[in-house]
Amino acid sequence: MLDCFAEEKSEILFENKNMNSNVDVQILPKFIFSRLSILMLLEFFVFGSWFTTMGLVLFTHGLAGVIGLAYTLCAVAAIISPLVLGAIGDRFISSEKVLGFLHVTGGVLQFFLPGFVAAGDNNVTLLLIFLYMLCFQPTVGLVNSLSFHNLGSKADWFPFLRLFATGGWVVAGVVVGMLGYSSTTGIFYVAGISSIFLGVYSFTLPRTEPQAKTLKFNWLDALGAKSFILFRHRSFAVLMGCALLTSISLGFYNTYASPFIGSLGIQNVAALLALGQLSEIIFILSVPFVIKRIGMKWALLVGMSMWGIRFIMFILAANGHTWTAIVGVGLHGICNDFFLIISAMYIDRLAPAEMKVQAQSWLIIAISGFGAAFGSVISGAVYSSSVNTAVAQSWIPLWSVPIGIAVLTSVIWLTGFKEKK
């Protein structure tokens, strides 16, 4: 049994393991950073090329009835696969090989989707989407852990690396739009080609040895069960709980921000939402300086609490102050960056070397898995019961829920999280 969860000495033990496991990755840091930048850009290009407009494509081809189920299955995949694949990356196979295999396999699956979508086959379409997401969901955690491993003592460069994630998402949208594929099955071909390319590229990355390969084999450990011990560390458990709550608010925003803004009479909603991507770039650059100034605990609190401020802006917009909706969208960068990026950085600092991939996987499970699923279900129920798109003020009950969640999250964080010096 690991003794790394004794509160005072756990941070020291974890940090020593991190430093020891990264001693050999300090050669040519600029070259490594450029390799990781390409990896991060491609990872989110693949995701952005099809995920954002999948609902529109399904609607266009007469499959509107399964749109909600399709996105729910994506969340279920994020619950099932990251932990198991993370355990494989920690114990058996180097992370870059796992990453490469998953992207190549996922790319092949994408090529089967256009035919079944065009044929209106609900069941096979949903099955293929689910199988693809079983392959994709673990890759986000793998990319994070692989990046931290190769950055080594330069882990504070990670926020700058994440700039390329935002860039990949934006480039994917531009490419799909220029090709005229936004509502066509062409998005699956773009995703398939780029995913296979990324898979091949992953195999060329510096080798990341499984940190737990020398430990005694156990089937439960191989399935990721041992990583539950992470929750014995109070700070990790509190972070995961707050991640779950915050991602429910993210589900509200992702699902209903665009129709809300449209109902306010604002033109060119897509361009306004792009402001959120621009703000991500600005706030990402500030992350290292904010952490140095106020520490991770208070920086994470800012990220969590700003979700409440964002939805207060939306309520003010519903009451006739339309310009505050623009402010709410503009806060996207600080809401996302100060929470998602700093959470990943803290987990890398906290987790022992033999559990780094699994620890990052828990963040994906909380956000893209349970959080996304709960957010979709709760926001859908509130929307159906209260919103009349012809009446702006009817949106107020919907946006009040994530405000309450942000208050609860902030209280839990302030009282439960203990940052070691």
Side-chain angles (χ1 to χ4, degrees):
M1 181 67 70
L2 293 176
D3 67 349
C4 56
F5 294 95
E7 286 291 334
E8 288 299 327
K9 68 178 181 178
S10 63
E11 296 289 343
I12 299 174
L13 176 58
F14 287 179
E15 288 176 5
N16 287 340
K17 286 188 175 184
N18 290 350
M19 289 188 291
N20 291 338
S21 64
N22 290 318
V23 168
D24 61 340
V25 292
Q26 302 306 309
I27 301 173
L28 299 177
K30 292 183 179 179
F31 173 72
I32 290 173
F33 187 86
S34 64
R35 297 295 310 277
L36 295 176
S37 299
I38 296 172
L39 173 66
M40 193 69 74
L41 187 145
L42 290 174
E43 172 77 10
F44 284 87
F45 179 94
V46 170
F47 198 21
S49 65
W50 76 284
F51 191 75
T52 55
T53 59
M54 177 180 68
L56 177 60
V57 173
L58 294 177
F59 177 84
T60 303
H61 290 81
L63 300 177
V66 301
I67 293 175
L69 183 55
Y71 282 102
T72 300
L73 286 174
C74 293
V76 172
I79 296 171
I80 295 174
S81 62
L83 203 57
V84 175
L85 272 298
I88 291 175
D90 276 330
R91 177 176 285 274
F92 298 112
I93 308 172
S94 57
S95 295
E96 77 280 356
K97 290 182 180 178
V98 178
L99 189 64
F101 171 79
L102 291 174
H103 275 301
V104 170
T105 303
V108 172
L109 290 171
Q110 285 279 359
F111 281 106
F112 289 100
L113 272 166
F116 289 103
V117 171
D121 193 321
N122 289 354
N123 295 330
V124 179
T125 295
L126 290 173
L127 176 62
L128 287 171
I129 290 171
F130 180 62
L131 290 175
Y132 173 79
M133 291 305 284
L134 284 176
C135 292
F136 180 83
Q137 292 288 20
T139 65
V140 179
L142 282 166
V143 167
N144 282 351
S145 61
L146 192 151
S147 296
F148 282 117
H149 176 87
N150 284 282
L151 287 174
S153 64
K154 302 292 185 181
D156 56 347
W157 290 11
F158 184 73
F160 304 116
L161 195 59
R162 283 285 302 193
L163 281 172
F164 293 89
T166 301
W169 191 275
V170 172
V171 171
V174 172
V175 170
V176 169
M178 289 178 62
L179 292 173
Y181 286 169
S182 296
S183 60
T184 76
T185 56
I187 62 170
F188 301 119
Y189 290 118
V190 175
I193 293 171
S194 57
S195 185
I196 291 174
F197 179 81
L198 174 53
V200 173
Y201 177 78
S202 298
F203 286 116
T204 71
L205 293 169
R207 181 172 175 79
T208 305
E209 286 287 348
Q211 296 296 312
K213 69 176 183 179
T214 59
L215 300 182
K216 184 179 178 180
F217 179 80
N218 180 290
W219 278 109
L220 289 177
D221 294 350
L223 294 175
K226 191 172 184 177
S227 67
F228 282 93
I229 199 173
L230 290 165
F231 287 89
R232 291 182 61 185
H233 192 286
R234 176 176 175 175
S235 295
F236 183 85
V238 171
L239 177 61
M240 289 301 102
C242 291
L244 173 62
L245 290 171
T246 300
S247 58
I248 292 174
S249 298
L250 177 61
F252 274 73
Y253 180 81
N254 287 342
T255 306
Y256 293 110
S258 57
F260 168 68
I261 293 170
S263 72
L264 296 176
I266 296 176
Q267 302 299 314
N268 201 346
V269 174
L272 175 57
L273 291 176
L275 176 63
Q277 301 297 326
L278 177 61
S279 73
E280 279 202 52
I281 296 174
I282 296 172
F283 285 109
I284 283 175
L285 294 174
S286 71
V287 167
F289 306 102
V290 173
I291 292 176
K292 185 176 181 179
R293 188 78 175 179
I294 65 175
M296 283 191 170
K297 176 177 181 176
W298 298 104
L300 280 164
L301 177 64
V302 170
M304 296 173 190
S305 60
M306 288 307 294
W307 281 94
I309 302 300
R310 151 180 275 183
F311 293 116
I312 289 175
M313 294 296 103
F314 279 10
I315 287 179
L316 292 174
N319 280 318
H321 306 284
T322 305
W323 64 272
T324 60
I326 301 174
V327 176
V329 172
L331 291 174
H332 186 71
I334 193 169
C335 288
N336 266 23
D337 299 340
F338 277 57
F339 179 67
L340 297 177
I341 294 176
I342 299 177
S343 292
M345 294 174 70
Y346 180 75
I347 288 172
D348 179 72
R349 174 186 295 183
L350 179 73
E354 66 271 16
M355 288 187 188
K356 284 192 176 295
V357 180
Q358 294 168 82
Q360 293 291 343
S361 295
W362 273 115
L363 186 62
I364 306 306
I365 292 169
I367 294 174
S368 300
F370 288 108
F374 292 157
S376 176
V377 171
I378 297 171
S379 63
V382 178
Y383 177 86
S384 299
S385 64
S386 63
V387 175
N388 177 354
T389 54
V391 180
Q393 290 186 330
S394 68
W395 288 88
I396 293 177
L398 180 73
W399 301 132
S400 297
V401 175
I403 292 174
I405 291 174
V407 172
L408 175 62
T409 304
S410 299
V411 171
I412 292 173
W413 184 254
L414 282 172
T415 57
F417 184 85
K418 303 297 182 184
E419 183 178 17
K420 303 299 179 184
K421 299 300 182 183

